[in-house]
Amino acid sequence: MTRPRIVVVGAGFVGIECLHRLERKLSARDAELILVSPQDYQLYLPLLPHVAAGVLTPQSVAVSLRRRLRRTKIVPGVAIGIDAAAKVCIVRRTTGEVTVKPYDHLVIAAGSTTRTFDIPGLTDHALGVKTLAQAAYIRDHVIAQLDLAAAATDEEERRARLQFVVVGGGYAGVETAACLQRLTTNALKRYPRLDPALLRWHLVDVAPRLLPELGDRLGVKAMAMLRERGIEFSLGTSVASVDESTVKLTDGRTLPSRTLIWTAGVAASPLVTTLGAETVRGRIITSNQLTVPGCAGLYAAGDVAAVPDVAKGGDAICPPTAQHAQRQGKVLADNIVASMSATPLKPYIHKDLGLVVDLGGADAVSKPLGVELHGLPAQVVARGYHVMALPTFTARTRVLVNWGLNAVAGDDFVRTDFQDNRPKTLQDFERTKAYLSPDEVKKHSETLNVRA
């Protein structure tokens, strides 16, 4: 008798939690477990701003898959299409070879990419903070601007290199701006030729207020903390265009800058468009049991899925947060096991435990279980939450040691140049050009549909 094949696409919170639980619930005889992922690590995305600022090393937030998964076969590659009717997943391996993976159960947990708009120059010049490579590149880029500003003889060039623009007033944008502003402020003490008054960090967002998920009071408090540190805000506006040396805003202003960091939301992985399933705001509509209606053996969760938020009720869907993704992965595993034994599936129900925003140093705002905190108490909660959420003892130890070392010894200001010769666009870093059209999916499925 052939073992059922369970294929999981994506090594994020959903995929790894699901497989980790399946390995405990199913024996090797019960099912074949396969993970499709271009990386051999699970990325703890919430701490990427700390990597970009050099507070944490990249290894601290990149947890080896082989530390967590013992029996799962890892296929190095990207799922570029799904044929739900034929029950096959089309994979482009890291070698470039295109193959198919037939499945009995498929979990779509491919996560999200940076959401962009049709803004002239945006995709060519903006930097994102969605992958480990992007975080490492941003650090190098920001420090390079300080070096180039110190060497510049033209005053206008120096001003442009020392003005940094971050777009996005959510968690990613606020934390990235806060952490990098702290880094550059400390770094300027080592650049005697640069006037600290020239350093400008500018946070832009189309929304009328910062961090709306935290409520008015904490959003205002976060703004006050960051404004005191010198960060400027332009709310209710966005970017009209961007080129190598300027960022033009929709309110008519032009900011001379060589750095635009774009964190204005996320979009579901382009893998969703290859499936042809019903979507809402670009995310696959699922049942509250995380199944995809009308597609046998197909499940979706995390950033790619519009999962009903049963705790809130109505038409609410779960926000794309790590907290929900981790718990959805566990429910997914339970429901796959239940479907294999023909027992009822259970709905995903989880009440949000609260939100934390780390602004660097002793600055933070947090709302655990509805309790509003700011300053050092909020920072203790924020970092405590991240330590507990990290999936392995090794990762927790590395993060704690890095935080401690940074607090005692301060920042380092060196460029690694690891990313110097690779393409710098959002599409290149996030592989958004790799996916097939629905017609191409059908063609590959018919041509390559051989049991792998």
Side-chain angles (χ1 to χ4, degrees):
M1 181 177 177
T2 305
R3 294 178 299 166
R5 175 178 282 183
I6 302 171
V7 178
V8 174
V9 175
F13 293 107
V14 172
I16 302 306
E17 290 297 334
C18 178
L19 285 166
H20 189 250
R21 199 171 182 93
L22 286 172
E23 286 192 346
R24 290 184 303 173
K25 287 180 167 285
L26 300 173
S27 70
R29 296 186 301 273
D30 293 328
E32 180 185 3
L33 305 179
I34 296 174
L35 171 64
V36 178
S37 171
Q39 292 93 20
D40 63 350
Y41 58 83
Q42 177 189 358
L43 178 63
Y44 188 76
L45 193 65
L47 288 178
L48 273 187
H50 288 223
V51 175
V55 175
L56 298 178
T57 61
Q59 294 90 339
S60 302
V61 299
V63 180
S64 170
L65 298 181
R66 289 171 177 81
R67 280 189 177 273
R68 300 207 69 199
L69 304 177
R70 305 297 183 186
R71 293 190 289 104
T72 299
K73 177 183 177 182
I74 300 173
V75 178
V78 178
I80 57 175
I82 296 169
D83 186 340
K87 299 188 78 169
V88 297
C89 177
I90 302 168
V91 178
R92 177 174 286 118
R93 294 176 180 267
T94 52
T95 58
E97 174 192 8
V98 176
T99 64
V100 296
K101 289 293 176 187
Y103 64 84
D104 297 290
H105 304 272
L106 176 67
V107 174
I108 305 176
S112 58
T113 60
T114 301
R115 182 180 62 182
T116 58
F117 301 95
D118 189 18
I119 297 173
L122 179 66
T123 56
D124 293 326
H125 299 292
L127 305 176
V129 197
K130 202 75 178 67
T131 68
L132 199 58
Q134 284 173 314
Y137 179 78
I138 283 178
R139 174 175 167 77
D140 278 4
H141 172 84
V142 167
I143 295 173
Q145 299 315 299
L146 303 184
D147 291 342
L148 291 167
T153 56
D154 180 74
E155 184 67 15
E156 295 213 356
E157 178 189 350
R158 184 178 294 117
R159 288 180 180 276
R161 292 196 183 279
L162 292 178
Q163 179 154 240
F164 302 90
V165 181
V166 179
V167 180
Y171 308 115
V174 171
E175 290 189 335
T176 299
C179 290
L180 287 171
Q181 184 271 343
R182 186 171 177 270
L183 170 71
T184 52
T185 300
N186 292 335
L188 278 189
K189 299 170 185 176
R190 309 295 178 92
Y191 291 82
R193 293 190 67 245
L194 293 179
D195 180 359
L198 295 179
L199 179 64
R200 307 278 293 277
W201 278 88
H202 207 99
L203 187 61
V204 177
D205 193 65
V206 71
R209 55 196 175 97
L210 203 66
L211 298 167
E213 300 89 344
L214 286 175
D216 287 339
R217 286 189 298 181
L218 283 182
V220 169
K221 190 65 183 178
M223 280 187 67
M225 288 180 179
L226 296 179
R227 187 173 277 126
E228 187 176 347
R229 284 164 44 177
I231 295 180
E232 302 172 36
F233 297 90
S234 291
L235 302 181
T237 189
S238 188
V239 173
S241 65
V242 56
D243 58 31
E244 290 183 354
S245 58
T246 60
V247 177
K248 295 182 180 179
L249 303 183
T250 54
D251 63 8
R253 286 177 296 160
T254 297
L255 304 177
S257 176
R258 303 297 178 94
T259 307
L260 174 67
I261 300 174
W262 183 267
T263 66
V266 297
S269 166
L271 181 63
V272 170
T273 63
T274 74
L275 181 61
E278 190 176 357
T279 62
V280 57
R281 284 180 278 179
R283 299 164 68 184
I284 302 169
I285 293 177
T286 72
S287 69
N288 59 18
Q289 299 163 335
L290 307 176
T291 60
V292 178
C295 299
L298 195 60
Y299 307 80
D303 291 3
V304 299
V307 178
D309 193 334
V310 177
K312 289 185 178 179
D315 295 330
I317 60 176
C318 296
T321 65
Q323 187 180 139
H324 280 286
Q326 285 178 313
R327 288 159 178 81
Q328 287 170 4
K330 295 175 182 178
V331 172
L332 263 177
D334 292 342
N335 284 347
I336 291 172
V337 173
S339 69
M340 292 171 62
S341 59
T343 56
L345 278 59
K346 64 181 183 181
Y348 171 73
I349 304 173
H350 172 66
K351 186 175 181 180
D352 207 309
L353 298 178
L355 304 167
V356 297
V357 182
D358 187 335
L359 303 177
D363 294 336
V365 288
S366 301
K367 197 174 182 180
L369 301 174
V371 179
E372 296 187 355
L373 301 172
H374 60 83
L376 187 58
Q379 186 63 285
V380 171
V381 170
R383 298 204 170 182
Y385 169 79
H386 288 312
V387 169
M388 294 305 298
L390 284 161
T392 66
F393 175 78
T394 302
R396 293 169 187 164
T397 302
R398 281 178 173 157
V399 165
L400 285 170
V401 169
N402 281 184
W403 277 338
L405 183 62
N406 182 260
V408 173
D411 299 305
D412 284 322
F413 317 111
V414 294
R415 288 180 282 118
T416 61
D417 290 331
F418 290 153
Q419 306 295 326
D420 192 48
N421 294 317
R422 73 171 289 162
K424 281 102 176 158
T425 66
L426 291 169
Q427 293 96 329
D428 290 315
F429 274 120
E430 300 180 27
R431 300 184 175 94
T432 54
K433 297 178 180 178
Y435 298 86
L436 302 177
S437 68
D439 289 341
E440 290 172 324
V441 168
K442 193 70 175 174
K443 178 181 177 181
H444 279 77
S445 175
E446 292 171 350
T447 304
L448 303 173
N449 190 7
V450 178
R451 193 78 176 177

